[in-house]
Amino acid sequence: MTRSAPRRPRRRHTFGAVVLAAAGLVAGALPTIPGPAGASELPEQAREAELAELKEVFFVGNNWEGTADVINSRGDYAKIGRIDMIPDKEERLWEIYLNPVKLAFFLGIRLGPGEGHDQYVDDMYTTKDGKSVVASRPSFADVVSIDVVSGKINWRFPVSGFRSDHMAVSPDGTQVAVSSSISNTVHVLDMATGEEAGNFKTGDKPHENVYTDGGKYLWNMAIGEVNTDMDAPWQDFTKGDRRITVADAKTFRVKKIIDMRERLDAFGRQDLSDALRPVAFTPDESKMYFQVSFFNGFIEYDVHNDKITRVKTLPENPDTSDDRTTYVNDSRHHGMSMSPRGDKLCIAGTMDDYVTVVNRETLQEGPFVTASKPYWATVSGDGKHCVVSESGTDQVTAIDFSTGRKVISIPVGDHPQRVRLGHVPTDWTGPATS
């Protein structure tokens, strides 16, 4: 296996230590949850009418730049426009600089998960009418709704704690869930107004959110502490409470806690971390596939029988350092998506600088597509391609699910991370203020 250029090991700054120095702060037996996904709550005819005057697109969040590039969701993936996701940057910075506690966490995010950069846009989804994009902004510890035509902020929701992270939109498009990674809370907000509908507590450092069973349940995966250099296997106990929290999406009551440490040990893989990274469910939600910290591969989990069934180890890039403290936020592989038919998995080998498509039945990997620090994987609008963000070279790349071969790469902004399907008006080319 080859790669474009060798990577120099990078030492990470400890997030907790930065915050402590700057501010002097110290910082089961439950019901089985049904799997098959239900239909959307919107009537099909209403949905078709609603989408008739909208264009399906990809929003690419350029985390360090604070912009979102809007590109075609299929075909040529050409760029359509760009949105400034931090139009209130000056106001937010003044607010932070005048508050020593906020400033401590702001600098901690920069030197920890931001790798020396501010994190201005993490996740984003558009409203059903395509008029607004809702985004989480880690360094500003908030969620905002931005009008795609005017570029102005509709509403802003400051999360509890000091950092916002991954989001998920409900199947009916009315609510968005966001992880507050420092307060160990998931907030669920009204997409139209930004009002909080409810919240629930999670494990340490909530990360990925996924709605299941047609929007009945909301799963949150807590990854624990990923910004220290205590990365040796024997130091795993320092990483905190990492677990899956499954909540009722209407009452926000926790229905189930899944401790993957117990499941991994039962499978004989005591060597693997139980810090879940991105996940992917099969179309019928009977199986869940997930990545964990420090591991070049992924794990298959039987949802109904509540047990791990297979573990797939993928090849290591010989140029990747064995020093686990050089892995970005403890990620070895971060990013996965599943083909619409559920027969292929697309895996982003973040620290190994490749992407590969894996046959889900046999777990046989396909060709290795060279990619620079691929960080996220999703599915094209027509379902034919896996689309990954290459944060090392500021581009997104489409890979054919059927052949595993690269189709095209499109330049975007600084450090692309999340890539999400959304909608804009059919004649949209960008905000009037840009």
Side-chain angles (χ1 to χ4, degrees), residues 281-300:
F281 283 86
T282 54
D284 65 359
E285 296 178 359
S286 63
K287 295 285 197 310
M288 180 181 77
Y289 296 82
F290 61 93
Q291 296 162 313
V292 296
S293 293
F294 307 116
F295 181 53
N296 49 296
F298 59 89
I299 299 163
E300 179 185 75

Side-chain angles (χ1 to χ4, degrees), residues 197-217:
N199 63 72
F200 61 92
K201 288 295 184 179
T202 67
D204 292 334
K205 299 295 179 65
H207 193 57
E208 183 85 324
N209 293 294
V210 180
Y211 281 92
T212 64
D213 197 37
K216 187 175 182 180
Y217 297 104

Side-chain angles (χ1 to χ4, degrees), residues 315-337:
E316 299 179 357
N317 189 318
D319 290 333
T320 300
S321 172
D322 290 330
D323 182 358
R324 286 157 59 120
T325 66
T326 64
Y327 296 176
V328 177
N329 300 325
D330 290 355
S331 298
R332 180 71 186 254
H333 287 187
H334 188 287
M336 66 190 308
S337 63

